[in-house]
């Protein structure tokens, strides 16, 4: 059972052992033999999913393949093993908190649901493996694709076949009554408040059903060589550019001949919306217990007009946002054709591997009339209330969120930290500097974005918003008409004021 988070409990990797892969079709009973298929309507058997059963180390591939053949399925299997971290993670704290020791008496099985099969050296699977080795427990990893979870989870709850722990954000919001309030079990003051607000908040209740596991954030990349050739000095976290200065630098980069395009932006409303938020705009505002649509406010119209002008000026590859090309602007940046690229932290490590012809870095995102903006998103960990071993899942969470164990996880994940006291520090000094900029972007998230998210406006319209932006860039509609048409349609469908 959960206790108050303030009542803290006082309490390297061992040799790996081979495990067994179990193929599981929703009957709740893993078997070393192919399970019999239930009759239609007798259980969640429409789409197979897989169990990886291990007490540590790599899965037994020969047995996995034979079981897969016995079940008449085609399975693509990857081993779940640890790999040495090329970098280190550091912690601001000198000692770990209560749960740093062994979490339980051992000998129990923790059933974990993920949306993707963990690959070789997967950070979270390796961390689960480490916990299992340290505590003497075992772990079942159940893989159910992201979209299938929407139909599978209610059936699993009905059939009393729930995982003990799962990585999610959506399920906890759709079925809040099915999950533990983890705010009563874990001291939430250890987390970055923005990560808690965006990843963990239910919006309909004060219950904290999800704890942040990992997240990504929007950011701006720049071509260091192009900046040097154009005589441009990169802004700093303490002295950020305005968007006007970004447009000016993009023109200077292009005029210098160092790049084909001064800047580019992913064709994603989440990237564009940062421009809106930094100028004080939003899609909705709170209106008592409801919302008011303000997508066509004057500041939003002005922001979109400036973006249209930038595309028309030629400093950006207009076809990306006008809908005339399916090209990925990230490829333009990797090829050295773009000087400033608005994208996100998920691209950083791939760029480290792929970009070899020039030096690149992360520059602080710009600010507007209302300040800065960054959009954060990610996954969290949740515990079903009726899970068989929910107490064991909570013990794992207490172990996972200690400084030492979370730092080890980050060293493998190479991502941003959801804990205040832990940061990922690559061994390479340039990469370490980039990560400091990325982590600083967390503080740029806005209240306006949180309110937009709480409205869940995408349940009514989603791609239609990006289509409206593209129509403005393409010249089919003026920025005012494009935003007004979308705002009117959203208000009508949602039943909100406008």
């Amino acid at each position: 059972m959960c206790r108050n988070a303030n009542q803290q409990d006082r309490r390297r990797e061992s040799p790996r052992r081979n495990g067994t892969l179990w193929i599981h079709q929703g009957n709740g009973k893993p078997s070393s033999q192919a399970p019999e298929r239930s009759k239609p309507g007798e259980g969640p058997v429409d789409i197979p999913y897989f169990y990886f059963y291990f007490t540590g180390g790599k899965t037994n591939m020969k047995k996995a393949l034979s079981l897969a053949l016995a079940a008449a399925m085609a399975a693509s299997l990857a081993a779940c093993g640890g790999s040495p971290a090329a970098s280190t993670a550091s912690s601001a704290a000198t000692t770990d908190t209560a749960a740093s020791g062994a979490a339980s008496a051992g000998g129990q099985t923790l059933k974990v649901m993920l949306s993707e099969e963990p690959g070789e050296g997967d950070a979270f699977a390796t961390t689960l493996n480490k916990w299992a080795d340290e505590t003497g427990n075992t772990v079942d990893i159940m893989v159910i694709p992201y979209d299938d979870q929407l139909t599978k989870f209610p059936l699993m709850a009905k059939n009393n076949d729930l995982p003990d722990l799962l990585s999610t954000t959506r399920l906890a919001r759709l079925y809040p009554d099915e999950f533990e309030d983890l705010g009563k079990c874990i001291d939430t003051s250890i987390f970055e408040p923005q990560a808690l607000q965006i990843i963990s908040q239910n919006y309909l209740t004060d219950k904290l059903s999800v704890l942040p596991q990992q997240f990504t954030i929007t950011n701006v990349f720049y071509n260091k060589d192009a900046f040097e050739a154009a005589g441009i000095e990169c802004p700093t976290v303490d002295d950020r550019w305005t968007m006007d200065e970004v447009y000016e630098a993009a023109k200077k980069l292009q005029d210098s001949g160092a790049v084909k395009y001064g800047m580019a932006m992913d064709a994603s409303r989440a990237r564009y919306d940062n421009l809106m938020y930094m100028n004080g705009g939003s899609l909705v505002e709170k209106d008592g217990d409801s919302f008011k649509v303000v997508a066509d406010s004057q500041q939003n119209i002005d922001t979109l007009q400036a973006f249209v002008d930038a595309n028309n000026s030629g400093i950006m590859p207009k076809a990306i946002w006008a809908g005339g090309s399916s090209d990925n602007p990230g490829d333009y940046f990797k090829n050295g054709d773009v000087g400033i690229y608005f994208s996100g932290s998920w691209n950083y490590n791939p760029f480290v591997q792929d970009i070899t012809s020039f030096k690149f870095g992360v520059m602080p995102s710009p600010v507007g009339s209302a300040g800065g903006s960054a959009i954060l998103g990610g996954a969290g960990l949740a515990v079903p209330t009726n899970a068989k071993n929910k107490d064991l899942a909570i013990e794992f969470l207490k172990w996972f969120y200690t400084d030492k164990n979370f730092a080890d996880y980050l060293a493998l994940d190479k991502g941003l930290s959801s804990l205040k006291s832990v940061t990922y520090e690559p061994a390479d000094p340039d990469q370490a500097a980039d990560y400091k900029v990325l982590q600083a972007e967390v503080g740029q998230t806005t209240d306006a974005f949180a309110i937009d998210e709480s409205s869940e406006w995408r349940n009514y319209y989603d791609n239609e918003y990006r289509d409206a932006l593209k129509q403005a860039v393409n010249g089919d509609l003026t920025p005012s008409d494009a935003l007004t048409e979308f705002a009117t349609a959203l208000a009508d469908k949602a039943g909100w004021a406008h």
Side-chain angles (χ1 to χ4, degrees):
M1 298 294 292
C2 293
R3 297 193 298 172
N4 188 291
N6 293 324
Q7 297 175 337
Q8 296 183 347
D9 295 328
R10 293 293 174 193
R11 4 198 184 281
R12 214 131 131 177
E13 203 163 5
S14 64
R16 288 189 163 86
R17 303 173 293 278
N18 287 335
T20 302
L21 174 77
W22 303 95
I23 297 177
H24 181 69
Q25 287 187 292
N27 59 11
K29 299 176 182 179
S31 171
S32 59
Q33 299 178 355
E36 295 182 3
R37 187 170 181 83
S38 302
K39 296 178 182 179
E42 287 190 349
V45 298
D46 299 316
I47 301 175
Y49 52 91
F50 306 99
Y51 262 134
F52 292 92
Y53 178 78
F54 62 87
T55 55
K58 297 182 178 180
T59 56
N60 187 320
M61 299 303 292
K62 290 184 179 179
K63 183 173 286 187
L65 290 174
S66 64
L67 288 172
L69 290 172
M73 297 177 182
S76 174
L77 306 174
C80 298
S83 62
S87 309
T88 60
S90 71
S91 166
T94 57
T95 60
D96 281 340
T97 52
S100 59
S104 68
Q108 301 182 71
T109 298
L110 181 70
K111 187 160 64 173
V112 182
M113 187 172 81
L114 304 177
S115 61
E116 295 181 358
E117 179 182 329
E120 182 74 28
D122 177 83
F124 192 55
T126 301
T127 300
L128 287 166
N129 192 3
K130 176 186 175 185
W131 171 80
D133 283 343
E134 288 186 5
T135 62
N137 293 303
T138 59
V139 174
D140 286 343
I141 293 184
M142 174 194 306
V143 180
I144 302 182
Y146 185 76
D147 289 334
D148 293 338
Q149 290 181 7
L150 289 180
T151 55
K152 291 292 182 184
F153 183 81
L155 289 172
M156 295 169 75
K158 182 179 180 180
N159 295 342
N160 198 27
D161 183 28
L162 288 163
D164 305 310
L165 180 73
L166 62 158
S167 178
T168 186
T169 53
R170 185 170 56 171
L171 289 177
R173 289 175 180 170
L174 289 173
Y175 310 105
D177 294 339
E178 294 287 345
F179 291 91
E180 284 288 286
D181 185 352
L182 297 177
K184 296 179 180 179
C185 312
I186 305 293
D187 178 9
T188 58
S189 69
I190 66 176
F191 295 102
E192 290 279 5
Q194 294 88 349
L196 271 180
Q197 182 183 38
I198 302 303
I199 296 175
S200 304
Q201 184 58 50
N202 189 295
Y203 299 123
L204 300 178
T205 171
D206 291 334
K207 183 178 177 180
L208 193 69
S209 301
V210 175
L211 297 177
Q213 175 192 351
Q214 59 81 25
F215 67 88
T216 57
I217 198 163
T218 56
N219 74 274
V220 185
F221 296 98
Y222 75 105
N223 184 321
K224 288 185 175 181
D225 292 353
F227 266 53
E228 184 177 353
I232 300 173
E233 190 171 330
C234 182
T236 65
V237 169
D238 296 325
D239 187 16
R240 296 170 182 261
W241 281 347
T242 65
M243 200 60 207
D244 286 341
E245 288 175 307
V246 171
Y247 290 140
E248 291 172 6
K251 186 177 187 309
K252 189 174 181 180
L253 284 164
Q254 191 173 37
D255 290 345
S256 73
V259 290
K260 184 176 180 180
Y261 298 106
M263 64 174 283
M265 180 182 290
D266 290 338
S268 164
R269 55 133 195 112
R271 246 62 83 228
Y272 170 83
D273 281 353
N274 281 320
L275 310 186
M276 173 183 71
Y277 292 129
M278 69 177 64
N279 285 329
S282 63
L283 295 176
V284 301
E285 293 177 349
K286 287 290 292 182
D287 185 25
D289 294 332
S290 185
F291 297 92
K292 178 181 179 180
V293 179
V294 293
D296 55 344
S297 65
Q298 189 57 53
Q299 59 260 52
N300 286 359
I301 293 172
D302 292 344
T303 298
L304 182 53
Q305 184 63 64
F307 187 65
V308 169
D309 292 343
N311 275 274
N312 288 336
S313 72
I315 63 171
M316 302 177 67
K318 181 177 177 179
I320 299 294
W321 269 91
S325 172
S326 60
D327 288 354
N328 181 356
D331 291 335
Y332 290 20
F333 183 75
K334 287 193 296 184
N335 293 337
D337 292 330
V338 168
I340 301 171
Y341 175 41
F342 285 73
S343 186
S345 61
W346 54 88
N347 270 325
Y348 186 82
N349 287 305
F351 282 174
V352 170
Q353 300 298 319
D354 296 341
I355 297 176
T356 58
S357 60
F358 64 92
K359 294 181 180 179
F360 80 93
V362 177
M363 60 180 274
S365 60
V367 296
S369 59
S373 174
I375 292 179
L376 179 153
L381 297 172
V383 177
T385 298
N386 294 321
K388 177 182 177 181
N389 285 327
K390 68 177 182 181
D391 291 344
L392 186 64
I394 292 168
E395 293 286 358
F396 168 77
L397 292 176
K398 291 177 179 179
W399 177 93
F400 181 57
Y401 287 114
T402 60
D403 288 348
K404 171 63 167 62
N405 293 325
F406 199 77
D408 290 345
Y409 162 74
L410 277 185
L412 296 172
D413 184 67
K414 297 180 174 61
L416 300 177
S417 177
S418 57
L419 297 188
K420 294 177 182 177
S421 59
V422 178
T423 57
Y424 170 59
E425 294 184 2
D428 182 274
D430 289 336
Q431 294 178 26
D434 286 339
Y435 265 88
K436 287 182 180 179
V437 177
L438 288 172
Q439 198 73 44
E441 292 298 296
V442 176
Q444 299 299 103
T445 57
T446 66
D447 291 338
F449 168 63
I451 292 173
D452 279 351
E453 286 294 287
S454 70
S455 73
E456 297 186 324
W457 61 271
R458 291 190 299 278
N459 289 343
Y460 306 101
Y461 284 118
D462 189 354
N463 292 333
E464 292 83 357
Y465 173 50
R466 186 178 62 180
D467 292 343
L469 300 175
K470 287 186 173 182
Q471 285 180 301
V473 173
N474 195 42
D476 297 331
L477 294 172
T478 66
S480 178
D481 289 344
L483 292 176
T484 298
E485 285 188 11
F486 170 74
T488 301
L490 177 61
D492 289 345
K493 191 166 187 178
W496 295 334
H498 176 212

